PDB file of all heavy atoms in Angstrom:
ATOM      1  N   GLY A  10     113.538  89.118 105.717  1.00 92.00           N
ATOM      2  CA  GLY A  10     113.290  90.034 104.654  1.00 92.00           C
ATOM      3  C   GLY A  10     111.859  89.787 104.042  1.00 92.00           C
ATOM      4  O   GLY A  10     110.963  89.095 104.609  1.00 92.00           O
ATOM      5  N   LEU A  11     111.555  90.602 103.046  1.00 92.00           N
ATOM      6  CA  LEU A  11     110.235  90.569 102.408  1.00 92.00           C
ATOM      7  C   LEU A  11     110.085  89.439 101.464  1.00 92.00           C
ATOM      8  O   LEU A  11     111.010  88.981 100.716  1.00 92.00           O
ATOM      9  CB  LEU A  11     109.994  91.844 101.597  1.00 92.00           C
ATOM     10  CG  LEU A  11     109.946  93.233 102.466  1.00 92.00           C
ATOM     11  CD1 LEU A  11     109.830  94.306 101.523  1.00 92.00           C
ATOM     12  CD2 LEU A  11     108.964  93.250 103.448  1.00 92.00           C
ATOM     13  N   PRO A  12     108.853  88.757 101.479  1.00 94.00           N
ATOM     14  CA  PRO A  12     108.633  87.713 100.583  1.00 94.00           C
ATOM     15  C   PRO A  12     108.638  88.330  99.232  1.00 94.00           C
ATOM     16  O   PRO A  12     108.293  89.439  98.985  1.00 94.00           O
ATOM     17  CB  PRO A  12     107.149  87.260 100.875  1.00 94.00           C
ATOM     18  CG  PRO A  12     106.897  87.790 102.268  1.00 94.00           C
ATOM     19  CD  PRO A  12     107.752  89.047 102.435  1.00 94.00           C
ATOM     20  N   THR A  13     108.954  87.494  98.261  1.00 94.00           N
ATOM     21  CA  THR A  13     109.042  87.855  96.760  1.00 94.00           C
ATOM     22  C   THR A  13     107.544  87.893  96.328  1.00 94.00           C
ATOM     23  O   THR A  13     106.573  87.481  96.850  1.00 94.00           O
ATOM     24  CB  THR A  13     109.749  86.897  95.922  1.00 94.00           C
ATOM     25  OG1 THR A  13     108.999  85.635  95.947  1.00 94.00           O
ATOM     26  CG2 THR A  13     111.138  86.620  96.330  1.00 94.00           C
ATOM     27  N   ILE A  14     107.411  88.588  95.193  1.00 93.00           N
ATOM     28  CA  ILE A  14     106.158  88.768  94.569  1.00 93.00           C
ATOM     29  C   ILE A  14     105.498  87.444  94.363  1.00 93.00           C
ATOM     30  O   ILE A  14     104.253  87.161  94.640  1.00 93.00           O
ATOM     31  CB  ILE A  14     106.183  89.625  93.144  1.00 93.00           C
ATOM     32  CG1 ILE A  14     106.695  90.918  93.444  1.00 93.00           C
ATOM     33  CG2 ILE A  14     104.852  89.578  92.509  1.00 93.00           C
ATOM     34  CD1 ILE A  14     105.901  91.830  94.301  1.00 93.00           C
ATOM     35  N   ALA A  15     106.281  86.458  93.821  1.00 94.00           N
ATOM     36  CA  ALA A  15     105.687  85.090  93.663  1.00 94.00           C
ATOM     37  C   ALA A  15     105.276  84.484  94.888  1.00 94.00           C
ATOM     38  O   ALA A  15     104.319  83.693  94.969  1.00 94.00           O
ATOM     39  CB  ALA A  15     106.736  84.254  92.841  1.00 94.00           C
ATOM     40  N   GLN A  16     106.080  84.737  95.998  1.00 95.00           N
ATOM     41  CA  GLN A  16     105.688  84.014  97.238  1.00 95.00           C
ATOM     42  C   GLN A  16     104.439  84.745  97.811  1.00 95.00           C
ATOM     43  O   GLN A  16     103.719  84.094  98.674  1.00 95.00           O
ATOM     44  CB  GLN A  16     106.831  84.268  98.232  1.00 95.00           C
ATOM     45  CG  GLN A  16     108.034  83.460  97.940  1.00 95.00           C
ATOM     46  CD  GLN A  16     109.257  83.707  98.765  1.00 95.00           C
ATOM     47  OE1 GLN A  16     109.355  84.788  99.273  1.00 95.00           O
ATOM     48  NE2 GLN A  16     110.261  82.819  98.756  1.00 95.00           N
ATOM     49  N   GLN A  17     104.140  85.874  97.544  1.00 95.00           N
ATOM     50  CA  GLN A  17     103.008  86.716  97.999  1.00 95.00           C
ATOM     51  C   GLN A  17     101.611  86.234  97.515  1.00 95.00           C
ATOM     52  O   GLN A  17     100.578  86.620  97.949  1.00 95.00           O
ATOM     53  CB  GLN A  17     103.045  88.115  97.825  1.00 95.00           C
ATOM     54  CG  GLN A  17     104.307  88.769  98.607  1.00 95.00           C
ATOM     55  CD  GLN A  17     104.336  90.268  98.295  1.00 95.00           C
ATOM     56  OE1 GLN A  17     103.476  90.881  98.196  1.00 95.00           O
ATOM     57  NE2 GLN A  17     105.643  90.747  98.293  1.00 95.00           N
ATOM     58  N   THR A  18     101.599  85.491  96.350  1.00 94.00           N
ATOM     59  CA  THR A  18     100.381  85.219  95.578  1.00 94.00           C
ATOM     60  C   THR A  18      99.281  84.506  96.381  1.00 94.00           C
ATOM     61  O   THR A  18      98.248  84.664  96.063  1.00 94.00           O
ATOM     62  CB  THR A  18     100.740  84.453  94.190  1.00 94.00           C
ATOM     63  OG1 THR A  18     101.328  83.375  94.560  1.00 94.00           O
ATOM     64  CG2 THR A  18     101.578  85.317  93.335  1.00 94.00           C
ATOM     65  N   ASP A  19      99.717  83.779  97.367  1.00 94.00           N
ATOM     66  CA  ASP A  19      98.796  83.035  98.145  1.00 94.00           C
ATOM     67  C   ASP A  19      98.570  83.633  99.496  1.00 94.00           C
ATOM     68  O   ASP A  19      97.770  83.259 100.419  1.00 94.00           O
ATOM     69  CB  ASP A  19      99.204  81.535  98.353  1.00 94.00           C
ATOM     70  CG  ASP A  19     100.432  81.400  99.152  1.00 94.00           C
ATOM     71  OD1 ASP A  19     101.507  82.060  98.672  1.00 94.00           O
ATOM     72  OD2 ASP A  19     100.484  80.886 100.269  1.00 94.00           O
ATOM     73  N   ASP A  20      99.179  84.748  99.910  1.00 96.00           N
ATOM     74  CA  ASP A  20      99.169  85.453 101.222  1.00 96.00           C
ATOM     75  C   ASP A  20      97.854  86.109 101.513  1.00 96.00           C
ATOM     76  O   ASP A  20      97.191  86.732 100.529  1.00 96.00           O
ATOM     77  CB  ASP A  20     100.382  86.292 101.427  1.00 96.00           C
ATOM     78  CG  ASP A  20     101.687  85.332 101.567  1.00 96.00           C
ATOM     79  OD1 ASP A  20     101.579  84.098 101.261  1.00 96.00           O
ATOM     80  OD2 ASP A  20     102.700  86.030 101.941  1.00 96.00           O
ATOM     81  N   PHE A  21      97.593  86.310 102.764  1.00 97.00           N
ATOM     82  CA  PHE A  21      96.616  87.031 103.239  1.00 97.00           C
ATOM     83  C   PHE A  21      97.062  87.902 104.459  1.00 97.00           C
ATOM     84  O   PHE A  21      97.740  87.296 105.326  1.00 97.00           O
ATOM     85  CB  PHE A  21      95.408  86.288 103.689  1.00 97.00           C
ATOM     86  CG  PHE A  21      94.324  87.112 104.522  1.00 97.00           C
ATOM     87  CD1 PHE A  21      93.241  87.642 103.912  1.00 97.00           C
ATOM     88  CD2 PHE A  21      94.400  87.256 105.941  1.00 97.00           C
ATOM     89  CE1 PHE A  21      92.393  88.446 104.518  1.00 97.00           C
ATOM     90  CE2 PHE A  21      93.517  87.989 106.639  1.00 97.00           C
ATOM     91  CZ  PHE A  21      92.401  88.578 106.022  1.00 97.00           C
ATOM     92  N   ILE A  22      96.887  89.281 104.433  1.00 96.00           N
ATOM     93  CA  ILE A  22      97.440  90.191 105.463  1.00 96.00           C
ATOM     94  C   ILE A  22      96.391  91.154 105.920  1.00 96.00           C
ATOM     95  O   ILE A  22      95.731  91.662 105.110  1.00 96.00           O
ATOM     96  CB  ILE A  22      98.771  90.765 104.945  1.00 96.00           C
ATOM     97  CG1 ILE A  22      99.595  91.305 106.047  1.00 96.00           C
ATOM     98  CG2 ILE A  22      98.440  91.767 103.795  1.00 96.00           C
ATOM     99  CD1 ILE A  22     101.015  91.705 105.557  1.00 96.00           C
ATOM    100  N   ILE A  23      96.587  91.532 107.124  1.00 97.00           N
ATOM    101  CA  ILE A  23      96.000  92.804 107.637  1.00 97.00           C
ATOM    102  C   ILE A  23      96.928  93.535 108.222  1.00 97.00           C
ATOM    103  O   ILE A  23      97.757  93.183 109.107  1.00 97.00           O
ATOM    104  CB  ILE A  23      94.946  92.458 108.786  1.00 97.00           C
ATOM    105  CG1 ILE A  23      93.698  91.559 108.295  1.00 97.00           C
ATOM    106  CG2 ILE A  23      94.334  93.689 109.364  1.00 97.00           C
ATOM    107  CD1 ILE A  23      92.818  91.049 109.260  1.00 97.00           C
ATOM    108  N   THR A  24      97.169  94.765 107.641  1.00 95.00           N
ATOM    109  CA  THR A  24      98.280  95.670 107.962  1.00 95.00           C
ATOM    110  C   THR A  24      97.947  96.481 109.290  1.00 95.00           C
ATOM    111  O   THR A  24      96.776  96.501 109.709  1.00 95.00           O
ATOM    112  CB  THR A  24      98.637  96.647 106.854  1.00 95.00           C
ATOM    113  OG1 THR A  24      97.569  97.548 106.728  1.00 95.00           O
ATOM    114  CG2 THR A  24      98.808  95.975 105.566  1.00 95.00           C
ATOM    115  N   ASN A  25      98.975  97.177 109.851  1.00 92.00           N
ATOM    116  CA  ASN A  25      98.772  97.859 111.119  1.00 92.00           C
ATOM    117  C   ASN A  25      97.861  99.165 110.818  1.00 92.00           C
ATOM    118  O   ASN A  25      97.515  99.782 111.785  1.00 92.00           O
ATOM    119  CB  ASN A  25     100.005  98.183 111.840  1.00 92.00           C
ATOM    120  CG  ASN A  25     100.916  98.972 110.834  1.00 92.00           C
ATOM    121  OD1 ASN A  25     100.599  99.467 109.867  1.00 92.00           O
ATOM    122  ND2 ASN A  25     102.036  99.353 111.454  1.00 92.00           N
ATOM    123  N   THR A  26      97.669  99.524 109.640  1.00 93.00           N
ATOM    124  CA  THR A  26      96.611 100.572 109.357  1.00 93.00           C
ATOM    125  C   THR A  26      95.173 100.071 108.963  1.00 93.00           C
ATOM    126  O   THR A  26      94.360 100.805 108.708  1.00 93.00           O
ATOM    127  CB  THR A  26      97.132 101.480 108.009  1.00 93.00           C
ATOM    128  OG1 THR A  26      97.216 100.506 106.936  1.00 93.00           O
ATOM    129  CG2 THR A  26      98.406 102.005 108.474  1.00 93.00           C
ATOM    130  N   GLY A  27      95.031  98.643 109.030  1.00 94.00           N
ATOM    131  CA  GLY A  27      93.630  98.121 108.859  1.00 94.00           C
ATOM    132  C   GLY A  27      93.426  97.740 107.401  1.00 94.00           C
ATOM    133  O   GLY A  27      92.284  97.274 107.140  1.00 94.00           O
ATOM    134  N   ASN A  28      94.346  97.855 106.566  1.00 96.00           N
ATOM    135  CA  ASN A  28      94.193  97.477 105.059  1.00 96.00           C
ATOM    136  C   ASN A  28      94.274  95.924 105.044  1.00 96.00           C
ATOM    137  O   ASN A  28      95.088  95.368 105.736  1.00 96.00           O
ATOM    138  CB  ASN A  28      95.243  98.072 104.168  1.00 96.00           C
ATOM    139  CG  ASN A  28      94.940  99.695 103.972  1.00 96.00           C
ATOM    140  OD1 ASN A  28      93.816 100.169 104.381  1.00 96.00           O
ATOM    141  ND2 ASN A  28      95.843 100.304 103.289  1.00 96.00           N
ATOM    142  N   VAL A  29      93.531  95.247 104.103  1.00 97.00           N
ATOM    143  CA  VAL A  29      93.489  93.956 103.905  1.00 97.00           C
ATOM    144  C   VAL A  29      93.978  93.629 102.568  1.00 97.00           C
ATOM    145  O   VAL A  29      93.599  94.266 101.464  1.00 97.00           O
ATOM    146  CB  VAL A  29      92.059  93.373 104.054  1.00 97.00           C
ATOM    147  CG1 VAL A  29      91.954  91.840 103.695  1.00 97.00           C
ATOM    148  CG2 VAL A  29      91.505  93.678 105.367  1.00 97.00           C
ATOM    149  N   GLY A  30      95.010  92.712 102.586  1.00 96.00           N
ATOM    150  CA  GLY A  30      95.556  92.322 101.271  1.00 96.00           C
ATOM    151  C   GLY A  30      95.349  90.871 100.984  1.00 96.00           C
ATOM    152  O   GLY A  30      95.599  90.026 101.912  1.00 96.00           O
ATOM    153  N   ILE A  31      95.065  90.462  99.740  1.00 96.00           N
ATOM    154  CA  ILE A  31      94.936  89.123  99.298  1.00 96.00           C
ATOM    155  C   ILE A  31      95.727  88.944  97.985  1.00 96.00           C
ATOM    156  O   ILE A  31      95.426  89.725  97.012  1.00 96.00           O
ATOM    157  CB  ILE A  31      93.441  88.675  98.948  1.00 96.00           C
ATOM    158  CG1 ILE A  31      92.561  88.774 100.181  1.00 96.00           C
ATOM    159  CG2 ILE A  31      93.518  87.286  98.442  1.00 96.00           C
ATOM    160  CD1 ILE A  31      91.153  88.644 100.018  1.00 96.00           C
ATOM    161  N   GLY A  32      96.801  88.190  98.147  1.00 95.00           N
ATOM    162  CA  GLY A  32      97.748  88.079  97.037  1.00 95.00           C
ATOM    163  C   GLY A  32      98.879  89.228  97.019  1.00 95.00           C
ATOM    164  O   GLY A  32      99.663  89.217  96.067  1.00 95.00           O
ATOM    165  N   THR A  33      98.859  89.944  98.095  1.00 96.00           N
ATOM    166  CA  THR A  33      99.807  91.029  98.147  1.00 96.00           C
ATOM    167  C   THR A  33      99.993  91.377  99.722  1.00 96.00           C
ATOM    168  O   THR A  33      99.072  91.146 100.489  1.00 96.00           O
ATOM    169  CB  THR A  33      99.406  92.384  97.394  1.00 96.00           C
ATOM    170  OG1 THR A  33     100.459  93.338  97.754  1.00 96.00           O
ATOM    171  CG2 THR A  33      98.094  92.850  97.918  1.00 96.00           C
ATOM    172  N   ILE A  34     101.200  91.680 100.086  1.00 95.00           N
ATOM    173  CA  ILE A  34     101.492  92.153 101.554  1.00 95.00           C
ATOM    174  C   ILE A  34     101.566  93.504 101.727  1.00 95.00           C
ATOM    175  O   ILE A  34     101.689  94.044 102.784  1.00 95.00           O
ATOM    176  CB  ILE A  34     102.717  91.397 101.963  1.00 95.00           C
ATOM    177  CG1 ILE A  34     103.866  91.897 101.303  1.00 95.00           C
ATOM    178  CG2 ILE A  34     102.520  89.857 102.008  1.00 95.00           C
ATOM    179  CD1 ILE A  34     105.232  91.480 101.970  1.00 95.00           C
ATOM    180  N   THR A  35     101.327  94.232 100.615  1.00 95.00           N
ATOM    181  CA  THR A  35     101.417  95.768 100.650  1.00 95.00           C
ATOM    182  C   THR A  35     100.099  96.433 100.190  1.00 95.00           C
ATOM    183  O   THR A  35     100.123  97.138  99.154  1.00 95.00           O
ATOM    184  CB  THR A  35     102.648  96.312 100.040  1.00 95.00           C
ATOM    185  OG1 THR A  35     102.499  95.896  98.605  1.00 95.00           O
ATOM    186  CG2 THR A  35     103.815  95.985 100.638  1.00 95.00           C
ATOM    187  N   PRO A  36      98.860  96.116 100.830  1.00 95.00           N
ATOM    188  CA  PRO A  36      97.572  96.559 100.312  1.00 95.00           C
ATOM    189  C   PRO A  36      97.571  98.107 100.560  1.00 95.00           C
ATOM    190  O   PRO A  36      97.876  98.570 101.573  1.00 95.00           O
ATOM    191  CB  PRO A  36      96.609  95.858 101.119  1.00 95.00           C
ATOM    192  CG  PRO A  36      97.233  95.512 102.376  1.00 95.00           C
ATOM    193  CD  PRO A  36      98.677  95.206 102.040  1.00 95.00           C
ATOM    194  N   ASN A  37      97.183  98.898  99.613  1.00 93.00           N
ATOM    195  CA  ASN A  37      97.144 100.358  99.574  1.00 93.00           C
ATOM    196  C   ASN A  37      95.709 100.871  99.546  1.00 93.00           C
ATOM    197  O   ASN A  37      95.501 102.077  99.534  1.00 93.00           O
ATOM    198  CB  ASN A  37      97.837 101.100  98.562  1.00 93.00           C
ATOM    199  CG  ASN A  37      97.520 100.531  97.078  1.00 93.00           C
ATOM    200  OD1 ASN A  37      96.352 100.089  96.929  1.00 93.00           O
ATOM    201  ND2 ASN A  37      98.440 100.457  96.092  1.00 93.00           N
TER     202      ASN A  37
END
């Protein structure tokens, strides 16, 4: 499943559309 909001606070992600998120896994 998806990490909770609290669990995302330390995360770094690059989505398949090229967006970069720091502290979120759904960068827009």
Side-chain angles (χ1 to χ4, degrees):
L11 295 177
T13 66
I14 298 298
Q16 291 171 338
Q17 296 177 36
T18 57
D19 64 302
D20 287 12
F21 171 87
I22 196 169
I23 300 176
T24 69
N25 58 5
T26 60
N28 289 350
V29 176
I31 300 174
T33 177
I34 63 169
T35 56
N37 51 27

